DNA sequence: TTCACTATACTACCTGGACGGTTTTTTTTC
DNA sequence: GAAAAAAAACCGTCCAGGTAGTATAGTGAA
């Protein structure tokens, strides 16, 4: 089974390894085993390690873009819908974030250029966020604060308690409409 | 020459390699060469790679702690001096941030437990920031926004222009005293 | 004598990637 | 619609190169 799916299974396996065992354990063999495929099979889909990591980043960038776009689409067309969607998705979606973390770390380790799709995404969002009917500085601060949560989760540096996190989230949301 | 200094030179060399060439090029040999020391010499100071990375993290944590503490000390004892110092130092000090980036990435790659000193630091600051005379939620948002800048610089994801960055900085500062 | 190294050699292991198959699926031909 | 051909998807082994860490003998300074 699984035609186009195999590639994606392999990408998930790679992310899982990075998340659970760290970059240094992201080897072709380990990825193959985790994905339930042979090394040769893996190399058929991704002809090099760099190609594999590129696959991770491209995949997650596409996913994240869709996720935000979907959230924006179902918003009423009120002002601030981009920053609101960005904050919503990032605060409340542990899953794509995990993959994001793995992809970022892997790309940074293997070849920084592989981060370009994320940079593109970031620039797109920043533009939208700043041109969405609210003060761009305020919008940028909300965006940065959201990213701050991200940083903290990426390195597991500090757990805001759930209540504090919720308070922050609500205060940011209210601030948008102020 | 250079008694206690050599160790620190080695740590700087290691950070430089991580920053410029990425984690995978942080080998013992490369570090020794960059530091102008023999491999044996390096291993004399840091008996394993993990010890080296631990040295990086410990050193930068100490540095960062001092830096913030110094900034707090020279503040008038007005409310919000902790968050103000945190934002000041992080916004305006590209140097320790670079080392921080390298240390975080190296520790995350080699062994997440090595991040513990940073976690401790983070917890200390969060406590101080929340008990410093201003609304803790507001203080936390400022802290998160500051960290957002960090994330962006760490992966080189997006350059806020200098003006926009300055606007953000000023708006956050004003917000503290509001 | 000890400390802080240098220089070199060596081991044991791991990893990316090449390579030459084999099996499964799809397409074409009769 | 069955057989044949071709393409796609995959397997498993091998190897050159690199790496952490060990070992060892020696050097100069305090």
């Amino acid at each position: 089974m699984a035609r186009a799916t195999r590639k994606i299974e392999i990408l998930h396996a790679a992310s899982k390894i990075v998340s659970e065992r760290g970059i240094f354990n992201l080897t072709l063999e380990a990825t193959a085993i985790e994905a339930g495929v042979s090394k040769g099979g893996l190399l058929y889909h991704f002809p090099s390690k760099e190609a594999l990591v590129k696959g991770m980043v491209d995949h997650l960038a596409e996913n994240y873009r869709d996720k935000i776009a979907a959230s924006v689409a179902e918003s009423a067309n009120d002002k601030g819908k981009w920053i609101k969607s960005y904050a919503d998705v990032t605060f409340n979606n542990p899953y794509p974030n995990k993959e994001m973390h793995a992809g970022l770390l892997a790309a940074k380790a293997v070849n920084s250029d592989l981060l370009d799709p994320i940079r593109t995404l970031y620039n797109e969002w920043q533009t939208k966020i700043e041109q969405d009917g609210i003060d761009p500085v305020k919008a940028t601060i909300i965006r940065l604060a959201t990213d701050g949560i991200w940083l903290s989760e990426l390195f597991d540096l500090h757990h805001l308690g759930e209540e504090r996190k919720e308070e922050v989230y609500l205060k940011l949301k209210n601030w948008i409409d102020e």
Side-chain angles (χ1 to χ4, degrees), chain A:
Chain A
M1 75 192 100
R3 241 161 327 275
T5 318
R6 256 292 148 66
K7 283 189 86 161
I8 291 175
E9 280 173 11
I10 291 170
L11 295 175
H12 286 327
S15 291
K16 195 177 175 200
I17 289 169
V18 174
S19 295
E20 294 178 358
R21 290 185 259 161
I23 286 289
F24 287 146
N25 290 301
L26 182 72
T27 65
L28 296 181
E29 202 186 349
T31 306
I33 292 169
E34 180 73 41
V37 85
S38 71
K39 195 170 169 184
L42 186 151
L43 284 165
Y44 172 79
H45 290 292
F46 301 101
S48 71
K49 192 174 180 178
E50 185 160 328
L52 173 63
V53 174
K54 178 168 158 46
M56 291 170 74
V57 175
D58 290 354
H59 180 245
L60 76 85
E62 200 175 333
N63 255 28
Y64 218 139
R65 177 181 281 115
D66 290 351
K67 211 118 189 169
I68 300 283
S71 177
V72 168
E74 71 187 35
S75 297
N77 59 348
D78 48 358
K79 60 192 184 132
K81 63 183 178 302
W82 279 93
I83 185 60
K84 205 174 289 180
S85 293
Y86 185 70
D88 274 1
V89 170
T90 307
F91 264 84
N92 303 319
N93 269 294
Y95 162 70
N97 292 13
K98 275 265 169 190
E99 295 240 314
M100 190 68 147
H101 296 163
L104 281 173
L105 291 172
K108 181 82 183 172
V110 168
N111 177 356
S112 280
D113 292 344
L114 298 179
L115 288 169
D116 281 345
I118 312 281
R119 297 191 176 110
T120 302
L121 207 55
Y122 235 72
N123 286 332
E124 285 174 20
W125 286 335
Q126 185 66 25
T127 304
K128 298 287 193 182
I129 283 169
E130 290 190 357
Q131 301 173 348
D132 202 23
I134 68 170
D135 172 26
V137 176
K138 191 207 276 189
T140 299
I141 289 174
I142 295 169
R143 191 252 178 66
L144 289 170
T146 307
D147 288 348
I149 296 262
W150 225 33
L151 179 82
S152 203
E153 286 177 357
L154 175 53
F155 292 103
D156 200 20
L157 287 184
H158 183 259
H159 290 283
L160 289 181
E162 273 307 311
E163 346 72 62
R164 173 66 24 107
K165 193 172 165 186
E166 192 63 20
E167 287 175 311
V168 167
Y169 178 60
L170 290 177
K171 190 165 188 124
L172 290 176
K173 268 193 107 160
N174 288 336
W175 202 27
I176 296 174
D177 300 318
E178 225 168 61

